[in-house]
Amino acid sequence: MQKTIYLDNAATTAVRPEVLDAMMPFFTEWYGNPSSVHEFGALCNVACDKAREQVAKVINADPKDIYFTSGGTESDNWALKSAALAKKEKGKHIITTKIEHHAVMETCEFLERQGYEVTYLDVDDQGLVDPGALEKAIRPDTIIISVMYANNEIGTVQPIREIGRIARSHGILFHTDAVQAFGHIPIDVNEDNIDLMSASGHKIHGPKGVGFLYMKKGVKLPPFMNGGHHERGRRAGTLNVPGIVGMGKAAEIASGEMSKNAKHLSGLRDRLISGLSEAIPYTKLNGHPTKRLPGNVNMSFRFVEGESLLMLVDEKGVSASTGSACASGSLDPSHVLLAIGLPHEIAHGSLRFSLSEENTEEEMDYTVKVVKEVVERLRSMSPLYEDMLNGVA
Ligand code: PLP
């Protein structure tokens, strides 16, 4: 049996047919610029405002506080760089964590080169930030706290409400990168005390290249993109109308199906976790056992190398992902896996399987079978594994 099973939905998802249907007329028929005053423009403007309402509803936000962007990366850059610029008279200290996505991490590193100071908080061995440690890290010159809602590699969901409460009680801006959480788990920007939140369309069966930044009323950050009066003067650039319409539709569907999908996905997730753990010795689940995204499985397989495992399971029709090589192609292990305390060699032998509601129990069982076969094959060639069996290691 040779199938192709896509288990890399944290990287990106398939656009749903309903989403594509909603987008198509904005390429071919109603291709106006929403800034134009004629009917074409007005129609597009109305469509973007509808999308604004659709995404706002998912997080209990006022639609006026939604600013469309080109995706999660831009939203993260905007939030952090503009907050740093706007608050530099108050201070130059930023608090974030050691497990953020590169879009936050590298923006913080950029700001360090501009003279800002960044505290990168540790996480525990399941990837959780300690709110007490976060509060202790706050200084009089702290201007922004950025903690991701849920981790893209290990799926751990942070105590965001508590972190937001701490930030607010100290009068510090709170940003969360919710790219992996939006549309998958409930978010309420008011209850969660969120000032700034990044989200992206392509993680929820919407199109790539579109996202938004939620900016709470009263939080007046300067624009990141200059050049026009779009998005109420906060984000210049002609609106990506089909993308925005698609993201709105995808958000509406994701929200309507959230509890049904979460139930289905967490069932599949737990089946895959227990299947792999039972079938293959010397495996470890990474991330929190319960405070984790419904569709995330991240496992380490000792005595194997993640890249080889990834390629060999791909040959057998299972598309997963490894955090062990960063985008630059270097073989540094994932900063997230190191932050939860995995030794380099175990971090290197890790795979992430990120599921979608399209996946089935049969696919999970097939994945277990394939991963078991490949791990056994790779271990049979590993001198370290042999040493361990012979009691040398
Ligand atoms: N933040 C997180 C947590 C992500 O997982 C991603 C994408 O993988 C991004 C930000 C970047 O989002 P985008 O691809 O929309 O730029």
Side-chain angles (χ1 to χ4, degrees), residues 10-12 70-76 99-104 148-153 177-181 198-203 207-211 352:
T12 199
S70 63
T73 303
E74 183 189 326
S75 301
D76 286 342
I99 61 163
E100 297 299 312
H101 186 269
H102 290 288
V104 167
M148 71 199 317
Y149 213 108
N151 185 265
N152 47 303
E153 289 187 38
D177 174 340
V179 168
Q180 294 290 338
S198 308
S200 181
H202 70 109
K203 312 289 184 178
K208 295 169 185 57
V210 63
R352 177 188 71 185

Side-chain angles (χ1 to χ4, degrees), residues 64 119 134 190 218 237 262 292 348 374:
K64 293 196 202 74
T119 299
L134 178 132
N190 299 308
R292 76 185 296 132
H348 266 307
V374 174

Side-chain angles (χ1 to χ4, degrees), residues 1 19 60 62 83 130 148 220 241 252 266 301 309 331 347:
M1 175 176 63
V19 169
N60 193 25
D62 184 333
D130 171 8
M148 71 199 317
K220 286 218 169 77
V241 182
E252 184 183 75
S266 51
F301 305 93
L309 182 55
L331 283 178

Side-chain angles (χ1 to χ4, degrees), residues 29 40 55 59 86 96 137 140 161 194 197 208-209 234 239 243 261 310 313 352 385:
E29 265 177 81
F40 277 80
V55 299
I59 55 171
T96 186
R161 194 161 292 187
I194 294 168
M197 189 192 103
K208 295 169 185 57
R234 296 269 178 94
L239 270 71
N261 288 343
L310 182 71
V313 298
R352 177 188 71 185
Y385 187 61

